[in-house]
Amino acid sequence: MINKILIANRGEIAVRIIRACRELGIRTVAVYSEADRDALHTQLADESVCIGKAQASDSYLNIERILSATVATHADAIHPGFGFLSENSKFAELCEKCNITFIGPSSEVIEKTGNKQEARNTMIAAGVPVIPGTKEPVYTPEQGQELADGIGYPVMIKAALGGGGKGMRVVRDAADFQREFNNAQRESVNGFGDNTMYIEKYIEEPRHIEFQILADNYGNVIHLGERDCSIQRNHQKMVEESPSIALNEDIRKRMGETAIKAAKAVNYTNAGTVEFLLDKNNDFYFMEVNTRIQVEHGVTELMTGIDLIKEQIRIAAGEKLDISQEDVRLTGAAIEVRINAEDPYKKFAPCPGTITDIHIPGGNGVRIDTAVYTGYTIPPFYDSMILKVMVHDRDRASVIAKMRSVLGEIVIEGVTTNLDFQYEICNNEKFIQGNITTDFIAQEFGNR
Ligand code: MV4
């Protein structure tokens, strides 16, 4: 039984979790930094505890203070949301040791999947397709050169503890290999304190397809369909949609089954995402497992009618999944765009400041998750996402039309946002045709 949950996060995801708890009759504790005294999550929770100064390292990333607040308020579980401590295996392990339920998979699973080089080998052993590449860790440029020459160029050098683009390099020419290896490895040492690298064949203009999964503590694993997140810039997703226009029923079925196989291979529990790259021949490859609830989870909620946060809490409380694979019905189409306080004409630089006026539309099939309001001041210390706009309708053309309508109606005054930029994407001919790969933003809008 879970009676009280501490939410170790802020912004719209903290608010989303508080609402789910309220629906389940579970009491909530918000933690907040000195910069978030007036934040919506601080106001909406049953109790709120200030855990430190504005910088995340002093507050939302401060493990000791968060655990102290949990003990002090007698909360029996922590929901980490996304970002911050959500994929920190040490934090999950400390929760386990303190007899606090971490709402997510076990620390062991987080650690095992966090090492992408090892996860690759686990997946190979389980019969999950991975991109051709190295099986042993690579530590030196000389060792790497020989392996890369064997794989054939172009190759991608990746950090074992990487993800999100850090410690990653594409090499098209053998002569550049050792220099780029050193660059990627230096980034990995600086960013993750680890020099373990691996090398893969580089997939040109792939699509990023991820499958949402749910797994209980009794070996039941289901998937809730895919999200196509190919529209990104600098490894920041901008638009997420379901179903992916790139999949037919046959590929969808095989990828879904593979996602379940991947989850079972690591004894996965709770909600998770299995990421794949899909190449131009429609071959797909396992990339990584995300062990957190993701920003774009709402797209899947619209498609399935399943509340992923409530499912996470039920699973963590030890309940059995009461949804079978056959129960999962994917209906219509859904899209999310992220509205950030940032300037697309200044390399997407964050634009914190006070929102002097905001109009948030509603309507049939419209969902907007946010934690901002008129008079709210966006602090400069955290990420710049202020609104997640999600729409659901009968098919892709209808959701794109609905998204343009909703984006056109939104008013945000006082801060610069990417609202118009997102409208342009939804009005882009290639996007409307569904002709999208991970190179879409660079190709259509340049590297501003
Ligand atoms: C790749 C790839 C092409 N080939 N690996 C980017 C983040 C990290 N999770 C893995 N990434 C990629 N790995 C091989 N072998 C292309 C990317 C990639 C990418 C992947 C998904 C979505 C957007 C992307 C943008 C640039 C590169």
Side-chain angles (χ1 to χ4, degrees), residues 32-33 35 103 139 156 183 220 277 279 288 353 361 367 383 433:
Y32 64 97
S33 72
I103 301 175
Y139 297 107
M156 201 160 198
N183 288 337
N220 303 303
L277 285 190
D279 73 12
E288 49 192 81
R367 167 175 168 185
D383 85 31
Q433 286 166 14

Short mmCIF file of all heavy atoms in Angstrom, two decimals, residues 32-33 35 103 139 156 183 220 277 279 288 353 361 367 383 433:
data_model
loop_
_atom_site.label_atom_id
_atom_site.label_comp_id
_atom_site.label_asym_id
_atom_site.label_seq_id
_atom_site.Cartn_x
_atom_site.Cartn_y
_atom_site.Cartn_z
N TYR A 32 10.42 21.74 -3.13
CA TYR A 32 10.65 22.89 -4.00
C TYR A 32 11.92 23.63 -3.61
O TYR A 32 12.36 23.56 -2.46
CB TYR A 32 9.45 23.85 -3.98
CG TYR A 32 9.16 24.49 -2.63
CD1 TYR A 32 9.64 25.78 -2.34
CD2 TYR A 32 8.43 23.83 -1.66
CE1 TYR A 32 9.38 26.37 -1.10
CE2 TYR A 32 8.16 24.41 -0.42
CZ TYR A 32 8.64 25.68 -0.15
OH TYR A 32 8.39 26.26 1.07
N SER A 33 12.50 24.31 -4.57
CA SER A 33 13.69 25.12 -4.32
C SER A 33 13.24 26.53 -3.96
O SER A 33 12.07 26.88 -4.14
CB SER A 33 14.55 25.17 -5.58
OG SER A 33 13.91 25.98 -6.55
N ALA A 35 13.64 29.05 -5.57
CA ALA A 35 13.13 29.73 -6.77
C ALA A 35 11.71 29.30 -7.10
O ALA A 35 11.07 29.89 -7.97
CB ALA A 35 14.05 29.43 -7.95
N ILE A 103 9.29 4.84 -7.39
CA ILE A 103 8.30 4.54 -8.43
C ILE A 103 9.01 4.51 -9.78
O ILE A 103 9.18 5.53 -10.45
CB ILE A 103 7.11 5.51 -8.38
CG1 ILE A 103 6.46 5.39 -6.99
CG2 ILE A 103 6.10 5.19 -9.50
CD1 ILE A 103 5.33 6.36 -6.74
N TYR A 139 38.73 1.09 -25.35
CA TYR A 139 39.34 2.11 -24.49
C TYR A 139 40.37 2.98 -25.18
O TYR A 139 40.69 4.07 -24.70
CB TYR A 139 39.99 1.44 -23.27
CG TYR A 139 39.01 0.71 -22.38
CD1 TYR A 139 38.97 -0.68 -22.36
CD2 TYR A 139 38.10 1.41 -21.57
CE1 TYR A 139 38.06 -1.37 -21.56
CE2 TYR A 139 37.20 0.73 -20.77
CZ TYR A 139 37.18 -0.65 -20.77
OH TYR A 139 36.29 -1.32 -19.98
N MET A 156 29.74 5.21 -35.92
CA MET A 156 29.44 6.14 -34.84
C MET A 156 30.16 5.64 -33.59
O MET A 156 30.05 4.47 -33.23
CB MET A 156 27.94 6.23 -34.60
CG MET A 156 27.54 7.49 -33.88
SD MET A 156 25.78 7.78 -34.15
CE MET A 156 25.65 9.50 -33.73
N ASN A 183 38.13 12.83 -29.05
CA ASN A 183 37.14 13.87 -28.70
C ASN A 183 35.94 13.27 -27.96
O ASN A 183 35.50 13.80 -26.93
CB ASN A 183 36.63 14.57 -29.97
CG ASN A 183 37.68 15.49 -30.57
OD1 ASN A 183 38.60 15.94 -29.88
ND2 ASN A 183 37.57 15.76 -31.86
N ASN A 220 4.50 -9.95 -16.00
CA ASN A 220 3.60 -9.54 -17.09
C ASN A 220 4.13 -8.26 -17.75
O ASN A 220 4.37 -7.26 -17.06
CB ASN A 220 2.20 -9.28 -16.55
CG ASN A 220 1.63 -10.50 -15.84
OD1 ASN A 220 1.54 -11.58 -16.43
ND2 ASN A 220 1.30 -10.35 -14.57
N LEU A 277 16.06 2.54 -33.64
CA LEU A 277 16.26 3.28 -34.88
C LEU A 277 15.68 2.43 -36.00
O LEU A 277 15.85 1.21 -36.01
CB LEU A 277 17.75 3.53 -35.15
CG LEU A 277 18.46 4.61 -34.34
CD1 LEU A 277 19.84 4.87 -34.93
CD2 LEU A 277 17.66 5.89 -34.26
N ASP A 279 15.77 2.07 -40.11
CA ASP A 279 16.53 2.58 -41.26
C ASP A 279 15.69 2.59 -42.53
O ASP A 279 14.51 2.24 -42.51
CB ASP A 279 17.86 1.82 -41.43
CG ASP A 279 17.69 0.40 -41.96
OD1 ASP A 279 16.58 0.06 -42.43
OD2 ASP A 279 18.68 -0.36 -41.92
N GLU A 288 18.21 1.88 -26.86
CA GLU A 288 18.36 1.93 -25.41
C GLU A 288 16.99 1.82 -24.74
O GLU A 288 15.95 1.92 -25.39
CB GLU A 288 19.07 3.21 -24.95
CG GLU A 288 18.55 4.50 -25.52
CD GLU A 288 19.51 5.66 -25.23
OE1 GLU A 288 20.52 5.83 -25.94
OE2 GLU A 288 19.22 6.39 -24.28
N GLY A 353 11.66 34.71 -17.66
CA GLY A 353 11.02 36.02 -17.47
C GLY A 353 9.59 35.82 -16.97
O GLY A 353 9.18 34.69 -16.68
N PRO A 361 -5.90 27.28 -24.90
CA PRO A 361 -7.13 26.79 -25.52
C PRO A 361 -7.58 25.45 -24.92
O PRO A 361 -6.82 24.80 -24.21
CB PRO A 361 -6.75 26.59 -26.99
CG PRO A 361 -5.39 27.16 -27.16
CD PRO A 361 -4.76 27.23 -25.82
N ARG A 367 -5.36 18.50 -25.12
CA ARG A 367 -4.84 18.40 -23.76
C ARG A 367 -3.58 19.26 -23.66
O ARG A 367 -2.67 19.11 -24.48
CB ARG A 367 -4.49 16.94 -23.45
CG ARG A 367 -3.64 16.79 -22.19
CD ARG A 367 -3.41 15.33 -21.84
NE ARG A 367 -2.39 15.20 -20.83
CZ ARG A 367 -1.90 14.04 -20.39
NH1 ARG A 367 -2.37 12.90 -20.89
NH2 ARG A 367 -0.96 14.00 -19.48
N ASP A 383 14.94 23.69 -17.03
CA ASP A 383 14.77 23.73 -18.48
C ASP A 383 13.60 24.63 -18.86
O ASP A 383 12.81 25.06 -18.02
CB ASP A 383 14.74 22.32 -19.08
CG ASP A 383 13.38 21.67 -19.05
OD1 ASP A 383 12.35 22.38 -19.13
OD2 ASP A 383 13.34 20.44 -18.96
N GLN A 433 3.38 15.48 -45.20
CA GLN A 433 3.47 14.23 -45.96
C GLN A 433 4.00 13.08 -45.11
O GLN A 433 3.90 11.92 -45.50
CB GLN A 433 4.40 14.41 -47.17
CG GLN A 433 3.80 15.21 -48.30
CD GLN A 433 4.89 15.65 -49.28
OE1 GLN A 433 6.01 15.15 -49.27
NE2 GLN A 433 4.54 16.61 -50.13
#
